[in-house]
Amino acid sequence: MARTPDVLFIKPGSQKQLYGNLSDYDLTAIEPPLWAGILGGYLRGQGYGVEILDAETDGLGWNEVAQAAVDRGALLTVVMASGHNPSASTMNMTGVGAIAKRIKELAPQAALALTGLHISALPERSLREEAADFVIQGEGLRTLPPLIDALKAGVDSFKGIPGLWWRKDSQIMPGSMPEMWADLDTLPMPAWDLLPMERYRAHNWHCFDDVTRRQPYATLYTSLGCPYQCSFCCINALFGEHRLRSRGVDAVMAEIDFLVNTYGVRNIKIMDELFAVNEKRVLELCGKIASRGYDLNFWAYARVNTVSERMLESMKKAGVNWIAYGFESGSKRVIEDVTKGYKLDNVLRVAKMTYDQGQHICANFIFGLPEDDYDSMQETFALMQEINAEWSNIYSAMAYPGSKLYDDAVAQNLPLPATWNGFSQYSPDCLPLPTKHLSGGQVLSFRDYAFDAYYKNPRYLSMIRAKFGLDTMLHIVKMAEKGLDRDNAVI
């Protein structure tokens, strides 16, 4: 007879809600719930029974997910607010809330917790608004074991558990951010065997060399956190400090070896918010990856002011074919206001340096940062076209909980999306942050114009055909035909 799990982690499936029409066409990635795997691996190593339910890969609706969770009968069910990147945590809250509400309707006595970056940013509000017994602030590593033990013991007080906010009758009992896990190498490997690894799929652009070869796919961390303090970023809300913690090279290599040899993984996303920062570490790790002789296709984040030619050369040899840069804006005034920490003069130099290594660029741009006006957004659009990156993520500025932009927006009573789903860049009710000069609707209109103009530009399409072939170019043409549903009241 199967053992009833001590803890069940749930990843909500929210593709349709978050990506609208784009979810009907397999443009988006399907990423493994890495934090569920990390927490699951750690708890299992401590002797707890763990299961993971990935609603996205199972094709389950939110009511079906709730029923499946109740049927599992875990001592503690944990619904996770996370996604492809830090900003995805908030927009997944619509699914998190719906699943939590339905679980409590089906099984009012079931112990239910919420976790994730958004939850860490807004713990009190999350517990006040959502149908959960607990919310977990921070990584969860120091919170979940004592919480599970307390539930097993049948106690009615959870005082003193690090990172735990909980209800006592109708009163919210506050917690506090726990200490970060110091030595990441003391954590076991994520519980990959609890996940349907054959169902995960890389981003379309990640596989422009062969868009039919996007599976199998995996994600991994070589470090956690970031020392920088960009005003639009919310990543450190999960950790509580602006600090970088790195895993040892041998531990990272053991995980890569496992993913390649067990699941045949080729496409890998390095999840680090800042991978290319320590040249010595990058050279050591990438040198070891290259020595294995694997046929790998990585992508990783880098910063204009930390990447070096030696890093890029070593990364390319290891199979890091795509470098994701946060260029953000083409306006010096806008960049300096958000404390990005680099000089615009270096952007084109770094882009050329990357192309010279035979690598591709995933360029990230944001329209609607606080100092933006139409002239500065035109500067950004001109920079996008000059770089002509093989892929550009074209965002509008959102005040994500956990970021300084969110705190400032709340303090200034600026208009924010009416629902968490409205924080999704592609949702019908998307509402970007207004700037000092433009409304959120004006920013969104410009963003949608820029996306359309960029991906339909003959110069761009010609470059794609020359580098990747006709099939990839036609794939992008088909993608660009997909319009987004937008709420006319916003635009």
Side-chain angles (χ1 to χ4, degrees):
M1 184 175 178
R3 174 186 172 186
T4 300
D6 293 311
V7 60
L8 169 67
F9 293 103
I10 296 176
K11 173 193 174 184
S14 302
Q15 289 275 338
K16 182 65 177 178
Q17 287 71 27
L18 300 183
Y19 296 101
N21 287 342
L22 297 183
S23 65
D24 298 329
Y25 178 40
D26 63 351
L27 299 169
T28 58
I30 302 176
E31 293 198 347
L34 183 53
W35 268 103
I38 292 170
L39 292 170
Y42 172 66
L43 290 172
R44 191 167 59 180
Q46 300 296 308
Y48 300 101
V50 178
E51 291 185 10
I52 300 174
L53 174 58
D54 188 340
E56 196 166 350
T57 58
D58 289 342
L60 299 177
W62 294 334
N63 287 341
E64 295 171 302
V65 173
Q67 185 62 64
V70 172
D71 292 344
R72 302 279 182 103
L75 179 67
L76 175 66
T77 298
V78 181
V79 187
M80 310 198 71
S82 59
H84 295 177
N85 52 53
S87 61
S89 182
T90 290
M91 57 197 190
N92 269 292
M93 280 302 296
T94 302
V96 169
I99 291 170
K101 180 180 179 182
R102 185 57 180 156
I103 287 174
K104 296 304 283 187
E105 289 172 350
L106 294 170
Q109 301 308 312
L112 180 64
L114 307 181
T115 187
L117 191 152
H118 175 97
I119 303 299
S120 288
L122 300 176
E124 182 177 4
R125 178 173 175 180
S126 298
L127 191 56
R128 176 166 30 91
E129 294 183 353
E130 309 297 345
D133 304 293
F134 312 100
V135 302
I136 297 171
Q137 187 176 18
E139 298 164 330
L141 295 163
R142 301 189 185 280
T143 308
L144 285 164
L147 174 57
I148 296 170
D149 290 344
L151 291 171
K152 284 185 174 182
V155 302
D156 60 1
S157 176
F158 304 92
K159 185 177 181 180
I161 296 180
L164 188 70
W165 295 62
W166 52 288
R167 298 181 194 275
K168 185 174 182 181
D169 301 322
S170 59
Q171 184 179 0
I172 291 177
M173 308 301 291
S176 59
M177 180 67 74
E179 181 183 357
M180 293 192 300
W181 200 266
D183 185 357
L184 299 181
D185 287 350
T186 61
L187 298 175
M189 194 179 298
W192 294 111
D193 57 298
L194 298 182
L195 297 170
M197 293 298 293
E198 73 283 357
R199 300 183 188 178
Y200 297 111
R201 180 179 71 206
H203 295 272
N204 62 333
W205 56 264
H206 186 181
C207 300
F208 272 178
D209 62 330
D210 185 352
V211 291
T212 67
R213 193 183 177 191
R214 294 166 61 190
Q215 294 171 302
Y217 172 63
T219 62
L220 61 84
Y221 284 109
T222 82
S223 67
L224 292 176
C226 179
Y228 293 93
Q229 300 187 42
C230 301
S231 65
F232 53 82
C233 184
C234 59
I235 179 65
N236 285 310
L238 187 64
F239 310 123
E241 296 181 33
H242 293 272
R243 184 157 63 89
L244 185 71
R245 291 167 293 161
S246 297
R247 298 173 64 191
V249 168
D250 290 343
V252 176
M253 286 306 308
E255 188 168 0
I256 292 172
D257 289 339
F258 179 81
L259 290 169
V260 172
N261 296 323
T262 306
Y263 300 110
V265 167
R266 174 178 182 258
N267 303 306
I268 299 176
K269 171 184 177 180
I270 297 177
M271 293 279 284
D272 305 26
E273 188 69 12
L274 187 56
F275 177 71
V277 61
N278 182 322
E279 183 176 86
K280 179 180 178 182
R281 181 172 182 270
V282 169
L283 297 182
E284 181 184 1
L285 175 58
C286 290
K288 288 195 174 184
I289 296 172
S291 72
R292 294 290 202 269
Y294 296 142
D295 174 28
L296 296 178
N297 180 35
F298 288 98
W299 75 270
Y301 291 102
R303 283 179 64 98
V304 171
N305 60 334
T306 64
V307 73
S308 69
E309 189 172 1
R310 291 185 69 198
M311 282 187 193
L312 292 174
E313 180 182 10
S314 179
M315 291 162 72
K316 177 62 179 176
K317 289 177 180 178
V320 184
N321 297 314
W322 288 83
I323 311 297
Y325 291 109
F327 296 133
E328 322 306 4
S329 175
S331 166
K332 179 181 178 181
R333 169 173 53 85
V334 172
I335 284 291
E336 289 177 349
D337 181 66
V338 296
T339 62
K340 184 63 183 175
Y342 68 79
K343 301 297 183 183
L344 267 175
D345 297 345
N346 290 328
V347 168
L348 293 177
R349 178 187 63 82
V350 167
K352 182 181 184 302
M353 187 169 68
T354 306
Y355 291 141
D356 286 347
Q357 293 296 334
Q359 290 164 308
H360 311 304
I361 293 177
C362 171
N364 293 281
F365 295 96
I366 302 176
F367 292 109
L369 291 167
E371 285 289 338
D372 258 327
D373 55 23
Y374 278 123
D375 289 340
S376 64
M377 292 197 301
Q378 287 286 3
E379 289 182 275
T380 299
F381 185 55
L383 180 63
M384 285 171 50
Q385 293 180 306
E386 186 170 5
I387 293 172
N388 203 31
E390 293 91 339
W391 184 257
S392 285
N393 286 319
I394 304 171
Y395 299 119
S396 42
M398 307 295 294
Y400 294 111
S403 70
K404 185 177 184 297
L405 285 189
Y406 180 83
D407 293 339
D408 290 347
V410 171
Q412 298 168 28
N413 199 30
L414 297 178
L416 292 171
T419 67
W420 297 131
N421 192 67
F423 282 85
S424 169
Q425 296 283 336
Y426 308 109
S427 68
D429 58 339
C430 173
L431 179 61
L433 193 67
T435 77
K436 295 177 181 178
H437 313 283
L438 302 169
S439 70
Q442 289 172 316
V443 170
L444 188 61
S445 291
F446 193 98
R447 179 266 162 210
D448 287 353
Y449 150 76
F451 184 94
D452 194 60
Y454 187 85
Y455 285 105
K456 291 180 179 178
N457 186 335
R459 175 172 171 260
Y460 169 77
L461 292 172
S462 177
M463 176 271 292
I464 290 293
R465 181 169 185 172
K467 288 188 176 183
F468 301 110
L470 178 62
D471 287 346
T472 297
M473 188 197 80
L474 293 176
H475 173 87
I476 293 172
V477 169
K478 184 178 179 181
M479 175 199 77
E481 292 173 351
K482 281 280 189 179
L484 290 172
D485 290 330
R486 296 297 197 190
D487 185 340
N488 290 331
V490 174
I491 295 294

